[in-house]
Each structure stands twice: as structure tokens, then as C-alpha cells.
Amino acid sequence: MPSDIAVEKKKLKNPPLKVHYLGDRVLRQPAKRVTKIDDELRQLVREMLQTMYSEDGIGLAAPQVGINKQLIVIDCEPDKPEAPPLVLINPVIKQVSSELCVAQEGCLSIPQVYLDVKRPQTVEIAYKDEYGRPQRLKADELLGRCILHEMDHLNGVVFVDRVENSLTLAQELSKNGFSYQAVKPVA
């Protein structure tokens, strides 16, 4: 269910939050469940959205801005002012499809690096919205991939951990000033 938290979809010269980059320990810590959904959390959601739009992103997980909470904001249509963003609090994967697909991913925490990642075609999740209401969502294509990518952040996993071509991965990271040592491959 789309959010009704209103934030103008525009770039700010000084976004309210700072995005952390690959190599920062904060990206590797499992996020804690949100226990209180209140105005303070909704303000954090606004700041995360403002930061995401400012960085030209379509998804942002709280650990990427140094906040150890299971909170994600997503907007796969940042160019459409009328399309509301999605706010996921304490999301849980209920089901993924057995069909896999490969598509290119990027990440605000690893700027300029875009690589192929294999993920399930569809995902079904349960989560709470910004008012604490339980929701369920089944998603595929870009939204499904974005949800899985951002949920990885809540578990300390970054998309480069899922890249299978280690040679290309090492070259792309090096070219953009990141260390291959920061990658922690997932089985």
C-alpha cells in the first residue's frame, strides 16, 4: 500500500541524511526491528525520502544512512509526483518464486557501480506501513527487485555480495575507488 507521507520529489542541495558507502561497518550490521511507530519515525521516513530523491535513488534502507532499524523507503517512479512512495517497516519475505531473473543493479552506497544480479522473479512480503497497519504485497519486475535489494541491507548484505562474476566485480569496484575486500559473497 503506497504511503501518504508527502515529500516533494526533488533534489536538495543538502539532504537531511548522509549515505554511508561500501566499506563502512554500519552497512554490515543486521538492523533491529522497529518497536515504536510514531511521529518521530514518520519524520525519519520523510528525511529518508528526501535523501533518496536527492541522490537519484529509487530505494533506501535505514542502515544506509547509519540508522540500525528495519525501515525501507522505495519509489520506482521518482519522476511522477502523483505516484506515492512505499514505506516498509519490519518487512518479512513470505514467499519468493522459484523462477530467477538477472538484471543490472546499482546502489546509493556504491555510486557508479552497476552489475548483474540474479534474484527471484517475484516476492511476497508482509510489513507494517508508516501508521503501523499490517500490509501484504506481491511484487515483480523493478519493484520486486528493489524490495529484495533493500531487504538485503536490513541483513547486512549489499548487492555486490550477490554478483557472480568476480572479475567484473573487482574491476568495477576498483575503477570507482572501492575495495574488493569489502565484498562478502553470499552462498
Side-chain angles (χ1 to χ4, degrees), residues 10-22:
K10 67 175 186 182
K11 280 180 169 254
L12 301 175
K13 209 188 299 210
N14 297 306
L17 303 169
K18 179 183 160 293
V19 175
H20 293 256
Y21 297 116
L22 182 67

Side-chain angles (χ1 to χ4, degrees), residues 135-180:
Q135 306 287 343
R136 276 185 96 92
L137 175 67
K138 190 171 185 174
D140 61 2
E141 298 184 350
L142 182 59
L143 179 58
R145 178 167 292 276
C146 192
I147 288 169
L148 289 166
H149 173 113
E150 298 306 333
M151 284 186 69
D152 270 354
H153 279 298
L154 302 184
N155 297 308
V157 175
V158 186
F159 92 96
V160 292
D161 301 339
R162 296 191 179 278
V163 172
E164 292 176 1
N165 185 334
S166 54
L167 183 62
T168 305
L169 173 60
Q171 289 170 339
E172 280 301 300
L173 289 174
S174 172
K175 188 170 83 182
N176 290 286
F178 293 101
S179 168
Y180 185 70

Side-chain angles (χ1 to χ4, degrees), residues 7-186:
V7 168
E8 203 176 337
K9 297 183 182 190
K10 67 175 186 182
K11 280 180 169 254
L12 301 175
K13 209 188 299 210
N14 297 306
L17 303 169
K18 179 183 160 293
V19 175
H20 293 256
Y21 297 116
L22 182 67
D24 192 319
R25 280 198 348 260
V26 75
L27 294 175
R28 295 303 185 172
Q29 296 165 352
K32 293 179 170 46
R33 287 183 62 75
V34 172
T35 54
K36 192 172 165 196
I37 299 174
D38 56 9
D39 287 340
E40 194 177 317
L41 187 78
R42 286 185 281 278
Q43 182 55 34
L44 172 59
V45 167
R46 279 185 204 91
E47 291 175 2
M48 284 176 63
L49 285 166
Q50 290 169 328
T51 301
M52 179 184 79
Y53 294 131
S54 297
E55 301 287 342
D56 290 325
I58 59 169
L60 185 66
Q64 289 179 272
V65 289
I67 295 163
N68 194 8
K69 290 185 175 179
Q70 291 184 15
L71 173 62
I72 293 170
V73 295
I74 292 176
D75 187 348
C76 292
E77 299 179 298
D79 299 333
K80 292 187 178 169
E82 72 284 359
L86 193 57
V87 176
L88 308 177
I89 300 170
N90 300 333
V92 177
I93 294 175
K94 290 301 188 181
Q95 198 174 341
V96 292
S97 64
S98 54
E99 306 88 62
L100 301 174
C101 63
V102 175
Q104 204 171 66
E105 292 186 21
C107 182
L108 295 180
S109 292
I110 317 170
Q112 307 306 315
V113 175
Y114 300 94
L115 295 161
D116 286 345
V117 178
K118 189 186 295 180
R119 293 199 187 267
Q121 185 84 39
T122 59
V123 60
E124 189 175 337
I125 59 167
Y127 64 97
K128 287 200 161 112
D129 68 14
E130 66 274 18
Y131 294 103
R133 299 175 296 213
Q135 306 287 343
R136 276 185 96 92
L137 175 67
K138 190 171 185 174
D140 61 2
E141 298 184 350
L142 182 59
L143 179 58
R145 178 167 292 276
C146 192
I147 288 169
L148 289 166
H149 173 113
E150 298 306 333
M151 284 186 69
D152 270 354
H153 279 298
L154 302 184
N155 297 308
V157 175
V158 186
F159 92 96
V160 292
D161 301 339
R162 296 191 179 278
V163 172
E164 292 176 1
N165 185 334
S166 54
L167 183 62
T168 305
L169 173 60
Q171 289 170 339
E172 280 301 300
L173 289 174
S174 172
K175 188 170 83 182
N176 290 286
F178 293 101
S179 168
Y180 185 70
Q181 270 59 55
V183 177
K184 298 187 179 347
V186 291

